[in-house]
Amino acid sequence: VRRFTCERCGADVAFESSRCARCGSELGYLPEQLDVRVLRQASSPSELTVDGVDHRLWRCLNAAWGCNWVLAAGGPTVWCRSCRLTRGRPDETNTSGIEAWSSIESAKRRLVHQLDALGLTFDERTQATPEGLAFDLVHLPGRPEVSGYFEGVITFDLTEASDERRDELRRQFAEPLRSVIGHLRHEIGHYYWNRLVGADDVTTTESFRRLFGDERVDYPSAIAAYYNPLRPPWDPALHITPYAAAHPLEDWAETFAHHLHISDALETAEATGLAARDRVGTGGATSSSFADLLDRWAPVAAGVNAVAASLGAPDVYPLTPRGPVVEKLSFVHERVWSASQWRWR
Ligand SMILES: [Zn+2]
Ligand SMILES: [Zn+2]
Ligand SMILES: [Zn+2]
C-alpha cells in the first residue's frame, strides 16, 4: 500500500489505524480519497467531519470489530464500502467465528483499497445489479470447506483464517504464498475474468486461450484430475503455482492474484523507502509495461529474501517468474491497465 500519515502531527500511520499513536487524533479511512484522514467530532454526537470534505461522516458499524473506514452520514446504509459487500457472516454470539470473520474483513479492506487504487470497478450486489459482487464469510460445521467463486459471490470458509489450518494446506498443496489476502485476490480474479476477458472482444479471448488454454474444457473433471495424487509434478516455468495447472480459469485467477501481490508489495517497498522510487505515481500498476514492474520488483524480492535469511527466516518470496508465466502476468497487466488507465492519465 501507499504511505499514510497523520495530517495533524505528521507521524506515519497504518492503513488499519483508528487513532494516531503519537498525537491521539481520531483517524479513519475515506475510500473516495484512498487515504487515512483525521476525523473531528461534528456538532451532532454520532457524526464526524474531515477537513475539505463538505458532508458529514459516520464510522462504519463494524468499527467495534476493527473496521476504520467511514461513510457518508445519513445515507441508506450503516456499513462502509468494503463491509457492505459482505452478505453472509457469523452470528455475534459465535465468538471464534467473529474473530475469524473480522480478520478476513481486514484483508478484504486491503483488497478493496487496491482495486479502487487500480481503478478496477465492481458492482455491489443489489436488486438492480443481481450479478454484482458479494462475499459470504461463513463456516458450515460438518460440511466440506466451501471456499470458491460462483456468479459474483465469493464464498470464503472461516477456517482459512486459522493459521494452523492454512499452514497445513500450504504444505499439502505446495503453495508458499497461501494467505487470506492471497485467497481473496484469487477469488476476485474470477470476477474480473468476466469483466476483463470473457466479456471482451474476440481478439482478447483468442490471446487468453493461446496463453492459458481453452477455458471451455470441462471444469469438474479438470479439478478432479488436479486432486489426483498421480497428476504430473508442477512445472514452475509453465504455471505460477501448482493449482494454476488445474484449469485455464484457475491459471488466470492464480496469475491475477500474483499480479496483485507484486503490485502491492512493490508499492509498499517504494512507499516505505525499501526500494528507490524513481517514477511518478503511487507504485503498483502505474507503469504501462509489466517488464518495467518486474524489473523494479526483482531487486526488492531478492532484498527481502536476503533480509529474511539474515533473520533465519524462510524466503518471503520463493518464486522466480519466467517464460510463459511472465507472458501470462503481462497479459493480466495489460487487461488491468486497459481497464484502469483512465485514472492515471
Ligand atoms: Zn498524529
Ligand atoms: Zn467497514
Ligand atoms: Zn479459483
Side-chain angles (χ1 to χ4, degrees):
V1 291
R2 52 172 287 187
R3 188 172 169 208
F4 301 99
T5 54
C6 170
E7 68 210 74
R8 185 168 292 156
C9 77
D12 280 332
V13 295
F15 173 62
E16 293 81 7
S17 304
S18 299
R19 181 181 290 272
C20 174
R22 188 198 280 170
C23 75
S25 296
E26 289 277 319
L27 301 173
Y29 174 85
L30 264 73
E32 61 272 32
Q33 295 189 353
L34 302 168
D35 202 3
V36 174
R37 298 290 312 273
V38 168
L39 309 177
R40 294 168 210 279
Q41 190 66 59
S43 44
S44 158
S46 65
E47 293 182 354
L48 302 156
T49 59
V50 163
D51 283 353
V53 175
D54 55 11
H55 56 272
R56 300 292 168 89
L57 300 160
W58 280 338
R59 277 206 185 270
C60 173
L61 195 67
N62 287 340
W65 290 282
C67 181
N68 67 332
W69 287 29
V70 296
L71 65 150
T77 173
V78 290
W79 283 287
C80 72
R81 174 169 173 76
S82 175
C83 289
R84 66 175 175 262
L85 296 172
T86 299
R87 186 176 70 168
R89 56 176 267 189
D91 190 85
E92 278 161 34
T93 57
N94 171 0
T95 43
S96 65
I98 283 286
E99 198 179 309
W101 160 76
S102 66
S103 77
I104 296 167
E105 289 289 5
S106 177
K108 176 160 141 279
R109 284 189 286 278
R110 285 194 172 244
L111 175 73
V112 173
H113 165 79
Q114 187 177 21
L115 297 175
D116 284 344
L118 289 171
L120 283 180
T121 58
F122 55 84
D123 292 323
E124 291 174 34
R125 200 176 188 88
T126 63
Q127 275 179 344
T129 49
E131 71 300 325
L133 187 60
F135 290 75
D136 283 339
L137 309 176
V138 291
H139 177 64
L140 303 171
R143 301 268 292 277
E145 288 170 27
V146 289
S147 296
Y149 175 85
F150 187 69
E151 294 183 349
V153 178
I154 291 173
T155 305
F156 196 97
D157 197 291
L158 295 178
T159 53
E160 274 283 342
S162 142
D163 285 342
E164 289 82 16
R165 178 71 182 134
R166 209 173 46 250
D167 281 345
E168 189 186 316
L169 294 171
R170 189 184 285 142
R171 276 192 301 273
Q172 185 181 343
F173 294 113
E175 295 173 5
L177 295 179
R178 192 176 182 111
S179 64
V180 172
I181 184 84
H183 221 118
L184 293 173
R185 285 173 175 159
H186 170 101
E187 302 301 352
I188 205 80
H190 289 301
Y191 177 79
Y192 282 107
W193 188 85
N194 288 305
R195 292 171 87 94
L196 304 180
V197 183
D200 222 310
D201 54 287
V202 177
T203 324
T204 304
T205 312
E206 279 173 0
S207 307
F208 171 83
R209 288 179 185 153
R210 201 164 49 244
L211 288 166
F212 293 82
D214 193 330
E215 79 284 359
R216 294 165 298 185
V217 299
D218 185 59
Y219 187 83
S221 55
I223 298 302
Y226 169 74
Y227 287 107
N228 183 336
L230 299 177
R231 78 181 143 92
W234 172 41
D235 182 350
L238 296 179
H239 297 100
I240 189 68
T241 62
Y243 188 57
H247 187 275
L249 292 177
E250 297 308 330
D251 194 4
W252 161 269
E254 286 290 90
T255 308
F256 186 89
H258 201 78
H259 182 268
L260 293 187
H261 275 333
I262 292 180
S263 303
D264 191 14
L266 177 62
E267 183 182 40
T268 304
E270 292 182 348
T272 54
L274 272 172
R277 186 185 202 153
D278 53 357
R279 283 169 182 80
V280 183
T282 56
T286 53
S287 172
S288 60
S289 141
F290 183 72
D292 172 58
L293 274 188
L294 206 55
D295 280 349
R296 284 149 69 195
W297 170 241
V300 175
V304 292
N305 285 344
V307 170
S310 293
L311 297 171
D315 278 355
V316 176
Y317 185 78
L319 300 166
T320 313
R322 58 195 148 100
V325 170
V326 171
E327 285 175 47
K328 290 186 237 186
L329 283 163
S330 301
F331 177 79
V332 170
H333 183 75
E334 182 269 313
R335 297 313 304 149
V336 169
W337 180 258
S338 72
S340 69
Q341 60 179 339
W342 57 270
R343 199 174 264 268
W344 308 106
R345 279 210 171 127

